[in-house]
C-alpha cells in the first residue's frame, strides 16, 4: 500500500493528510503559498501514485479557511485526478467541501467545483 | 489631540523627513477613512500578519463575521496577486514595493493595491477589467469557471482569474487608475469595494 503523505500546516499552507491505510484524506487550513505550483506538485504526484491502486472507497475532505486563485487552479487539478479515478471505475470517490457559515465565497467556490466535475461532491456548512 | 500652530515655523517644523509630513499624512488618512496602510514588499508572511491585524481591527469595530470574512478574502486575493518582479524593478531603479490601503466608508470597505506594472501590459489589463465590470453575477460565474479550467497554474501576476475573482467576491465594480511613468513602467492601482450590507 502507498505510504501516507502528511504535511503539517503553516500559516500559509494547508494541512495535508493523505493516508490510504487509515482511509483518511484531508486538505485543510490556509492555502496562500508564494509558490502554489511547487507546493501542490508533491500532492498531485502522490495522487498519481494513489490512482494506480486506490482504496475501493475514498472519502476526500476539504476544509479550507483562506485560499488564493493560484491555489484554486491547483485544487482543481487535484479534484480532476480524483474524478478520473472515479470515472475509470478504479475506486469510488466522494468529496466533501466544508465551508464556514459566514464564508459565502468558500461556499461559492465549492459550487464552482461541483459544477465543473463529474464526481460526487457535497457542500457542508459548518455552523458555530 | 491638540495641534499647535504659529505664524512663524518653529525649528522643529523646519525639519525635513517624517517629522515634517507626519501630521499631513495622519490628516489625509483620517479624511479618507484609512484604517490600514502598508508600503513594502509583499510576501505571504506579510499577508498572514495583515490578516491578523485586520481580524482584530474589524472585531473591535463590531463588524459582522460575514462582512469581515469578505474583506479578508478580497485582501488575500489582492495581496497575493500584486505583481512584484522585485529584482527587475530594483535593477531598473524603480520601487519594487507595493501599496495596500484599507478604507472604511459609511456603507462599504475599500481595499486598494498599488504597484508598478510593465506599461506594455496596460491596454490588455484595462480591457480585461472593463470587460469584467460589464458582466453581471451569472456571467461572471460562467466566465470564472471557464477561465479556471483554461488557465495553467502559475506562481504570481495579476491573472484574469484573479480579476474575475475580485469582482465576484466584492460584488461591486472594480475601479482602477494607471499613472503612466514611461514606456517601461506604469503605476497601477486597483480598488475593490465591499458593501457593508453584503449585497
Amino acid at each position: 500500500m502507498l505510504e501516507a503523505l502528511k504535511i503539517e500546516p503553516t500559516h500559509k499552507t494547508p494541512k495535508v493528510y493523505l493516508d490510504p491505510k487509515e482511509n483518511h484524506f484531508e486538505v485543510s487550513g490556509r492555502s496562500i503559498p508564494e509558490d502554489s505550483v511547487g507546493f501542490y506538485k508533491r500532492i498531485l504526484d502522490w495522487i498519481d501514485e494513489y490512482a494506480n491502486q486506490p482504496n475501493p472507497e475514498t472519502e476526500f475532505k476539504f476544509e479550507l479557511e483562506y485560499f488564493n486563485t493560484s491555489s484554486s487552479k491547483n485544487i482543481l487539478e487535484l479534484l480532476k485526478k480524483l474524478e478520473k479515478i472515479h470515472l475509470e471505475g478504479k475506486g469510488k470517490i466522494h468529496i466533501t467541501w466544508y465551508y464556514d457559515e459566514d464564508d459565502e465565497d468558500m461556499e461559492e467556490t465549492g459550487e464552482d467545483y461541483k459544477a465543473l466535475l463529474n464526481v460526487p461532491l457535497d457542500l457542508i456548512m459548518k455552523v458555530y | 489631540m491638540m495641534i499647535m500652530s504659529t505664524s512663524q515655523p518653529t525649528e522643529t517644523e523646519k525639519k525635513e523627513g517624517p517629522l515634517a509630513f507626519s501630521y499631513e499624512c495622519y490628516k489625509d488618512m483620517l479624511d479618507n477613512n484609512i484604517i490600514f496602510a502598508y508600503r513594502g514588499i509583499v510576501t505571504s508572511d506579510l499577508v498572514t500578519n495583515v490578516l491578523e491585524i485586520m481580524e482584530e481591527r474589524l472585531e473591535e469595530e463590531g463588524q459582522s463575521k460575514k462582512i469581515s470574512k469578505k474583506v479578508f478574502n478580497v485582501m488575500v486575493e489582492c495581496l497575493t496577486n500584486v505583481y512584484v518582479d522585485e529584482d527587475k524593478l530594483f535593477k531598473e531603479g524603480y520601487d519594487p514595493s507595493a501599496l495596500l490601503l484599507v478604507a472604511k466608508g459609511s456603507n462599504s470597505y475599500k481595499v486598494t493595491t498599488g504597484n508598478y506594472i510593465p506599461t506594455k501590459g496596460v491596454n490588455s489589463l484595462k480591457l480585461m477589467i472593463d470587460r469584467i465590470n460589464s458582466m453581471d453575477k451569472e456571467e461572471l460565474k460562467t466566465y470564472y469557471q471557464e477561465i479556471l479550467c483554461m488557465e495553467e497554474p502559475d506562481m504570481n501576476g495579476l491573472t484574469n482569474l484573479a480579476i474575475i475573482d475580485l469582482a465576484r467576491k466584492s460584488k461591486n465594480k472594480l475601479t482602477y487608475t494607471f499613472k503612466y511613468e514611461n514606456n517601461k513602467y506604469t503605476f497601477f492601482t486597483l480598488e475593490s469595494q465591499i458593501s457593508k450590507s453584503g449585497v
Side-chain angles (χ1 to χ4, degrees), chain B residues 3-6 8-23:
Chain B
I3 305 297
M4 298 298 288
S5 176
T6 58
Q8 293 298 316
T10 63
E11 281 308 305
T12 302
E13 282 170 340
K14 281 183 201 165
K15 282 189 191 298
E16 291 182 351
L19 201 58
F21 67 75
S22 54
Y23 175 64

Side-chain angles (χ1 to χ4, degrees), chain A residues 2-128:
Chain A
L2 182 62
E3 203 173 309
L5 175 67
K6 295 175 186 175
I7 304 172
E8 288 299 314
T10 69
H11 53 264
K12 51 190 171 184
T13 54
K15 169 187 173 183
V16 178
Y17 197 106
L18 307 175
D19 190 342
K21 201 174 164 188
E22 290 180 25
N23 209 16
H24 183 159
F25 303 88
E26 175 186 343
V27 176
S28 59
R30 292 181 175 186
S31 185
I32 48 172
E34 273 151 30
D35 176 13
S36 59
V37 174
F39 178 78
Y40 278 96
K41 188 180 183 305
R42 207 171 142 200
I43 303 165
L44 295 172
D45 288 347
W46 189 93
I47 296 286
D48 283 340
E49 283 289 313
Y50 179 68
N52 292 328
Q53 209 177 350
N55 289 352
E57 291 187 16
T58 302
E59 284 279 342
F60 209 110
K61 171 184 162 184
F62 286 88
E63 194 170 350
L64 294 165
E65 186 192 2
Y66 293 113
F67 71 103
N68 54 0
T69 49
S70 180
S71 292
S72 72
K73 286 182 275 186
N74 287 286
I75 291 169
L76 179 64
E77 289 301 304
L78 199 168
L79 289 167
K80 277 185 180 170
K81 287 182 187 293
L82 295 173
E83 178 191 44
K84 195 162 177 259
I85 295 172
H86 188 78
L87 294 179
E88 287 177 352
K90 288 179 173 174
K92 284 183 183 171
I93 303 283
H94 181 258
I95 296 154
T96 311
W97 183 269
Y98 289 90
Y99 64 93
D100 197 291
E101 62 178 328
D102 296 311
D103 194 348
E104 64 177 31
D105 296 328
M106 197 60 80
E107 179 185 6
E108 213 164 48
T109 306
E111 284 169 358
D112 288 334
Y113 287 137
K114 194 176 167 74
L116 292 170
L117 296 158
N118 193 7
V119 63
L121 190 156
D122 285 330
L123 277 79
I124 309 274
M125 182 200 280
K126 294 187 289 172
V127 183
Y128 297 101

Side-chain angles (χ1 to χ4, degrees), chain B residues 42-191:
Chain B
V42 174
T43 63
S44 53
D45 283 329
L46 172 87
V47 178
T48 314
N49 294 336
V50 170
L51 277 176
E52 277 173 22
I53 294 167
M54 285 302 295
E55 271 173 359
E56 212 169 282
R57 189 79 202 252
L58 294 182
E59 200 176 313
E60 277 170 13
E61 291 182 355
Q63 190 54 62
S64 75
K65 278 189 179 173
K66 191 179 167 187
I67 300 303
S68 299
K69 188 76 188 178
K70 221 165 221 321
V71 175
F72 302 150
N73 287 343
V74 167
M75 281 172 59
V76 165
E77 197 52 44
C78 282
L79 284 171
T80 56
N81 283 288
V82 166
Y83 174 88
V84 182
D85 194 346
E86 290 168 33
D87 295 340
K88 198 172 175 216
L89 279 165
F90 188 73
K91 272 181 202 161
E92 293 178 358
Y94 290 87
D95 177 24
S97 64
L99 176 75
L100 168 71
L101 298 172
V102 182
K104 179 195 170 188
S106 51
N107 300 316
S108 65
Y109 286 94
K110 286 178 181 173
V111 179
T112 308
T113 51
N115 56 289
Y116 281 111
I117 61 165
T119 297
K120 64 180 180 192
V122 168
N123 281 344
S124 59
L125 184 56
K126 187 179 179 303
L127 283 173
M128 185 65 192
I129 301 173
D130 289 342
R131 185 180 173 195
I132 287 163
N133 276 343
S134 72
M135 293 182 181
D136 65 22
K137 193 184 171 191
E138 279 308 306
E139 286 171 326
L140 278 173
K141 183 178 181 171
T142 308
Y143 193 41
Y144 179 87
Q145 292 178 0
E146 192 184 309
I147 300 291
L148 181 66
C149 291
M150 271 170 53
E151 276 187 1
E152 286 295 312
D154 52 16
M155 271 176 65
N156 53 31
L158 187 66
T159 60
N160 292 347
L161 192 66
I163 302 171
I164 309 166
D165 191 58
L166 282 175
R168 283 183 85 191
K169 283 176 176 163
S170 65
K171 295 186 182 174
N172 280 298
K173 304 295 177 201
L174 302 168
T175 48
Y176 58 83
T177 60
F178 292 102
K179 175 81 180 152
Y180 176 83
E181 289 239 337
N182 55 38
N183 284 338
K184 269 192 169 175
Y185 290 106
T186 292
F187 194 78
F188 167 57
T189 53
L190 182 66
E191 187 172 276

